[in-house]
């Protein structure tokens, strides 16, 4: 599960302790509800600021995609993105190496990886996942991305709520996650005032190292079971380690309610009509369009009648996103870390949900750059 702006968009960690400014969000909510009805254009620039700019963006995106297939150019772009992220962490007072090394030395990583790995999942690993993500040649299938997720999230999301995209907040990541669950609660309550109370079995698709799962535990204190699912066995290994370390911590996990499992969102290890809520946080932009549609259909399958799917990710209609799309240099940095960015921007997620059988699809703003989409499976399932 990753996130938002150049230079990198990793999975996030946050708590519910930080409240999102309703004033900041309100100005975006009504426009998001209007914009989600518009048909998507075929490229990142969903609406052109000036005539012809969509075509220019399309040509630029194709050109960038082509040159980034040349290894030396990709390595240069991704190296620059990673260096910028580490520099930003330092500006925030985050000791990147110290925090990562502390985590690296706190567990028997190889045994943790062995315990986390499902050989059947490895055997059927989809090709789209075996590519580079977030300035890592190994993508999400390695120790560096798994161990650096938390510090990277703090760095990447520091400017999310700034108007100029440059002012940094050390708690930006916490505010982003709080914004998701505020918007999620608002949409769920609109659909059914009792929906959140009914959410006893919760699934976190694309849980990364457990960062999004931890926030779900805080958002649904009455839930009885949380299962985090991720295709990366490295992320699951770190998630299990952190779960053991924080179990019993008032601000952490309850080992009796939370577990992590190696698996794919397209093939969830649950019976049909068995779960109350399927959540996916900052994951959809990492999926090609075909995989995103499969994840939505699979969520529909496992949800109980009346159950809910919820996702949060970048909003392609947001002005902040469009500024990146229309800036060839910013887009090059972004594209070097997000191989499926155009496909995500072009996908009409709400319409895919409706075609899968969901009803009452609601969209809310969760930050100036992100949206939350909530949909209910009919009580009398189709």
């Amino acid at each position: 599960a990753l996130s938002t702006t150049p230079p990198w968009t990793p999975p996030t960690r946050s708590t519910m302790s930080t409240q999102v400014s309703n004033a900041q969000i309100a100005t975006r909510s009504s426009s998001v509800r209007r914009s989600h009805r518009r048909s998507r254009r075929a490229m990142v620039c969903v609406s052109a600021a000036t005539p012809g700019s969509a075509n220019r963006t399309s040509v630029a995106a194709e050109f960038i995609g082509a040159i980034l297939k040349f290894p030396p150019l990709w390595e240069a772009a991704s190296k620059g993105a990673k260096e910028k992220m580490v520099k930003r962490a330092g500006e925030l007072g985050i000791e990147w190496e110290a925090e990562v090394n502390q985590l690296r030395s706190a567990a028997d990583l190889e045994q943790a990886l062995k315990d986390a790995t499902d050989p059947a999942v490895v055997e059927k690993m989809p090709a789209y996942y075996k590519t580079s993500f977030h300035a890592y040649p190994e993508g999400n299938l390695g120790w560096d991305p798994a161990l650096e997720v938390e510090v990277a999230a703090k760095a990447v999301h520091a400017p999310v709520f700034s108007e100029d995209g440059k002012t940094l907040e050390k708690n930006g990541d916490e505010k982003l996650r709080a914004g998701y669950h505020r918007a999620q609660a608002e949409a769920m309550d609109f659909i059914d005032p009792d929906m959140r109370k009914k959410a006893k079995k919760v699934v976190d698709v694309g849980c990364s190292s457990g960062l999004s799962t931890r926030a779900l535990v805080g958002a649904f204190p009455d839930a009885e079971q949380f299962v985090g699912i991720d295709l990366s066995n490295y992320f699951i290994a770190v998630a299990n380690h952190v779960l053991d370390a924080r179990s019993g911590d008032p601000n952490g996990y309850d080992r009796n309610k939370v577990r992590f499992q190696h698996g794919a969102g397209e093939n969830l290890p649950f019976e049909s009509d068995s779960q109350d809520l399927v959540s996916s946080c900052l994951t959809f932009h990492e999926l090609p369009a075909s995989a995103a549609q499969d994840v939505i259909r699979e969520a529909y399958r496992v949800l109980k009648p009346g159950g809910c799917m919820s996702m949060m990710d970048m909003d392609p209609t947001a002005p902040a996103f469009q500024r990146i799309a229309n800036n060839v240099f910013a887009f090059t940095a972004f594209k070097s870390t997000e191989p499926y960015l155009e496909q995500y921007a072009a996908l009409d997620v709400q319409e895919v949900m409706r075609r899968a059988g969901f009803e009452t699809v609601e969209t809310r703003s969760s930050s100036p750059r992100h949206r939350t989409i909530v949909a209910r499976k009919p009580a009398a399932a189709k």
Side-chain angles (χ1 to χ4, degrees):
L2 290 105
S3 174
T4 160
T5 54
W8 189 20
T9 57
T12 64
R13 163 186 178 157
S14 62
T15 67
M16 298 303 294
S17 60
T18 303
Q19 298 298 316
V20 176
S21 168
N22 289 333
Q24 274 183 296
I25 299 300
T27 57
R28 292 279 307 133
S29 293
S30 60
S31 63
V32 168
R33 285 192 288 270
R34 290 195 302 271
S35 64
H36 86 266
R37 299 185 181 94
R38 302 171 187 157
S39 59
R40 300 273 186 216
R41 295 192 181 180
M43 280 311 303
V44 173
C45 187
V46 180
S47 62
T50 59
S53 65
N55 289 334
R56 290 195 297 273
T57 302
S58 177
V59 172
E62 291 177 6
F63 175 72
I64 291 167
I67 64 174
L68 288 176
K69 291 181 180 179
F70 186 54
L73 294 178
W74 178 88
E75 289 170 5
S78 61
K79 180 181 179 181
K82 179 72 176 291
E83 289 175 348
K84 187 175 180 180
M85 180 179 58
V86 175
K87 179 181 178 182
R88 182 185 290 174
E91 293 172 357
L92 292 166
I94 298 170
E95 298 183 4
W96 182 290
E97 291 297 330
E99 291 193 28
V100 172
N101 289 336
Q102 182 180 16
L103 184 58
R104 191 186 301 272
S105 63
D108 182 345
L109 296 183
E110 293 309 316
Q111 184 60 48
L113 181 64
K114 182 178 179 180
D115 294 340
T117 302
D118 184 337
V121 174
V122 174
E123 182 179 355
K124 297 179 181 179
M125 186 72 65
Y128 76 79
Y129 202 71
K130 301 175 184 179
T131 190
S132 58
F133 287 99
H134 313 137
Y136 292 113
E138 69 271 39
N140 291 330
L141 297 172
W143 284 121
D144 284 347
L147 294 168
E148 294 179 353
V149 162
E150 186 169 333
V151 290
K154 295 175 183 176
V156 170
H157 298 138
V160 166
F161 287 88
S162 67
E163 293 184 5
D164 60 6
K166 298 178 182 179
T167 303
L168 304 181
E169 294 181 283
K170 193 169 184 178
N171 65 342
D173 180 63
E174 296 178 4
K175 291 175 67 174
L176 176 59
R177 186 52 52 82
Y180 171 38
H181 293 298
R182 176 204 54 78
Q184 179 189 58
E186 179 184 313
M188 291 177 74
D189 289 348
F190 177 83
I191 295 171
D192 178 356
D194 295 324
M195 182 176 285
R196 285 191 289 159
K197 296 178 182 178
K198 297 174 184 177
K200 302 300 182 184
K201 293 185 176 181
V202 179
V203 181
D204 184 14
V205 174
C207 67
S208 180
S209 61
L211 305 174
S212 52
T213 315
R214 184 176 181 220
L216 276 169
V217 172
F220 294 89
D222 296 327
E224 299 170 354
Q225 174 183 291
F226 298 86
V227 182
I229 302 290
D230 204 278
L231 264 171
S232 172
N233 45 345
Y234 292 87
F235 281 130
I236 294 296
V238 173
N240 281 326
H241 165 68
V242 175
L243 175 60
D244 287 336
R246 292 181 175 164
S247 186
D249 181 340
N251 297 315
Y253 295 107
D254 182 345
R255 201 18 155 159
N256 296 320
K257 296 172 65 174
V258 181
R259 66 182 173 89
F260 295 101
Q261 186 166 341
H262 191 201
E266 306 95 310
N267 186 26
L268 294 172
F270 307 110
E271 296 181 357
S272 299
D273 305 326
S274 63
Q275 306 300 308
D276 298 302
L277 171 64
V278 175
S279 175
S280 186
C281 181
L282 302 171
T283 298
F284 269 70
H285 73 274
E286 294 187 358
L287 301 172
S290 58
Q293 294 175 70
D294 288 342
V295 168
I296 290 171
R297 285 190 288 264
E298 182 69 351
Y300 185 89
R301 180 188 70 80
V302 304
L303 283 169
K304 297 176 182 177
C308 171
M309 181 179 186
S310 174
M311 66 83 76
M312 187 270 277
D313 215 311
M314 291 177 286
D315 180 3
T317 69
F321 185 95
Q322 301 231 344
R323 283 196 295 271
I324 296 169
N326 287 311
N327 183 321
V328 67
F329 299 105
F331 185 71
T332 298
F334 211 178
K335 177 66 178 175
S336 71
T337 67
E338 302 293 355
Y340 305 114
L341 184 61
E342 299 102 322
Q343 293 191 48
Y344 168 71
L347 184 66
D348 189 334
V349 175
Q350 296 93 328
E351 181 58 27
V352 173
M353 287 178 166
R354 294 186 187 98
R355 290 202 305 264
F358 286 100
E359 64 177 6
T360 323
V361 180
E362 290 292 316
T363 304
R364 300 287 188 276
S365 177
S366 37
S367 91
R369 308 175 187 207
H370 298 80
R371 63 183 177 181
T372 292
I373 305 174
V374 176
R376 179 175 60 182
K377 182 174 180 176
K382 299 176 183 178

